[in-house]
Structures are given as structure tokens and as C-alpha cells.
Amino acid sequence: AQSVTQLDSQVPVFEEAPVELRCNYSSSVSVYLFWYVQYPNQGLQLLLKYLSGSTLVKGINGFEAEFNKSQTSFHLRKPSVHISDTAEYFCAVSDSSYKLIFGSGTRLLVRP
Amino acid sequence: EAGVAQSPRYKIIEKRQSVAFWCNPISGHATLYWYQQILGQGPKLLIQFQNNGVVDDSQLPKDRFSAERLKGVDSTLKIQPAKLEDSAVYLCASSPPVLSISEAFFGQGTRLTVV
């Protein structure tokens, strides 16, 4: 069965500093990986996705993630964060069943 | 392109009452999901439809929750009777036809408070 682990429940960081949000997945078949962002009182918005091909994926708002099959990871990075990046970030995994499973989320808190 | 529409946005009910949520997915999207998101947690999949058939409802509490997707388009999720622990945001999402993997597009959710 698929599962997603986001070890960090909250990541505080200063504005303009780099950040990495960690995501590990568990699946026995080919996987498709996603990062979503959720702002307060909003639905989830896709940041980026890995379906196949290049393991380095670039998304919106300057975020990128790297698919590492040997480490079963899909960590999200941004070289310089802004106050507006403060939000909840969710990693998700899917496979050929189209079942989409989410992690517990990481709250990114950007301080001035 | 219109997004996923959900209504109502907010609902407050007393325990043991019933409630229903409505979702209109993006036109042409075959897959529809209902998720429950309890405060401080990630979304938990309740049920997944492919057109009007159920693909997965393993985490749906079937003694009180029910869902249907008429004609493979709109969907309703019902809770009867509601419990305090059902307080959560209920998210509906849809994704494109079965021939390709793609991301799910989410509605803004319905925030349910059971008192």
C-alpha cells in the first residue's frame, strides 16, 4: 500500500533563506509524485509533479523537487523564500490506480 | 476553465443531524475524489469514483457516510448521523480522463463543524 511520510511538521525559516521540505514515500510499483500547497481557508494548489523523465522537477513560485528512487524521496526546495510562501505543504503519491495519497503536511513559516 | 465547485462553504450542525455536501467537478474529468481533512492533518481519501463507478471506498465509514456520483458528473457526500469527530474540511477533487496520469484539481472545500 502507498504511504507518504513528511517528518517535519513545521519548518521555520527567515525570509530570503533557502528551504527544504522532506518527503519520503513507500510504494512497490511505479509512482507519481506531487507537491501541493494550501493557504489558509483555501483548497490545495499544485506546485509541481513528477510523472516520468528528468528527476529534477521545476514548479511554480520558484520551487523545485528531486525524485530519488533509491532513497524513495521527493524533497521540495526553494533557494530563497518569501513571506508569501508561508503555508502548509503536502506531498502526495499516486500510481496506476489513480489513488492519490497525502502526507500529513509541513507548515512552512517564513519570518522577516 | 471553471474549477471544481463545492457547496456549501461552511456548515454547522448538531451531532446526530444529517448533512450533505455537493461537488461539481471540472467538465470532462473522469475521476472524482472526496477527502476529509481534519485540522492539522493531511487530506484522507474517503472515496474515489471513476465516472460513476466506485474505485475505492475502503476508508469511508459506511455506517454513517454515503456518496454517489450521478451520471458520472456531480457528486454528493452525505453524513447521517453526524458525530463530533466528523468536524473537518471536506475536499472534492477531480482529475482528467483515464488515459493519462495527471494532477488532481481541488475545490475550496466545505468546512463542517459538529456541535
Side-chain angles (χ1 to χ4, degrees), chain B residues 8-27:
Chain B
R9 284 294 313 275
Y10 305 92
K11 190 74 177 179
I12 301 175
I13 62 172
E14 296 182 348
K15 60 183 179 184
R16 290 188 289 275
Q17 285 187 323
S18 62
V19 64
F21 313 127
W22 173 80
C23 173
N24 185 16
I26 293 172
S27 178

Side-chain angles (χ1 to χ4, degrees), chain A residues 21-40:
Chain A
L21 305 184
R22 297 181 294 168
C23 172
N24 288 88
Y25 66 90
S26 165
S27 177
S28 59
V29 297
S30 296
V31 295
Y32 309 97
L33 294 156
F34 307 84
W35 275 99
Y36 283 82
V37 62
Q38 187 175 37
Y39 298 102

Side-chain angles (χ1 to χ4, degrees), chain A residues 3-109:
Chain A
S3 67
V4 178
T5 302
Q6 293 181 250
L7 288 172
D8 305 307
S9 59
Q10 182 166 299
V11 173
V13 63
F14 287 108
E15 193 174 19
E16 297 184 6
V19 70
E20 177 179 85
L21 305 184
R22 297 181 294 168
C23 172
N24 288 88
Y25 66 90
S26 165
S27 177
S28 59
V29 297
S30 296
V31 295
Y32 309 97
L33 294 156
F34 307 84
W35 275 99
Y36 283 82
V37 62
Q38 187 175 37
Y39 298 102
N41 298 315
Q42 298 291 320
L44 281 76
Q45 177 186 3
L46 182 73
L47 274 179
L48 48 79
K49 61 186 176 185
Y50 170 78
L51 303 182
S52 65
S54 173
T55 57
L56 182 62
V57 180
K58 294 191 183 295
I60 63 171
N61 301 341
F63 284 94
E64 64 180 32
E66 186 157 18
F67 171 58
N68 187 319
K69 189 173 183 178
S70 62
Q71 297 189 4
T72 61
S73 68
F74 190 56
H75 301 331
L76 182 70
R77 302 185 185 98
K78 187 169 182 178
S80 176
V81 294
H82 303 290
I83 295 287
S84 59
D85 292 323
T86 294
E88 191 86 20
Y89 291 80
F90 293 97
C91 182
V93 63
S94 183
D95 60 19
S96 57
S97 73
Y98 304 93
K99 188 173 177 178
L100 186 61
I101 302 301
F102 285 85
S104 56
T106 297
R107 174 164 293 278
L108 177 61
L109 179 60

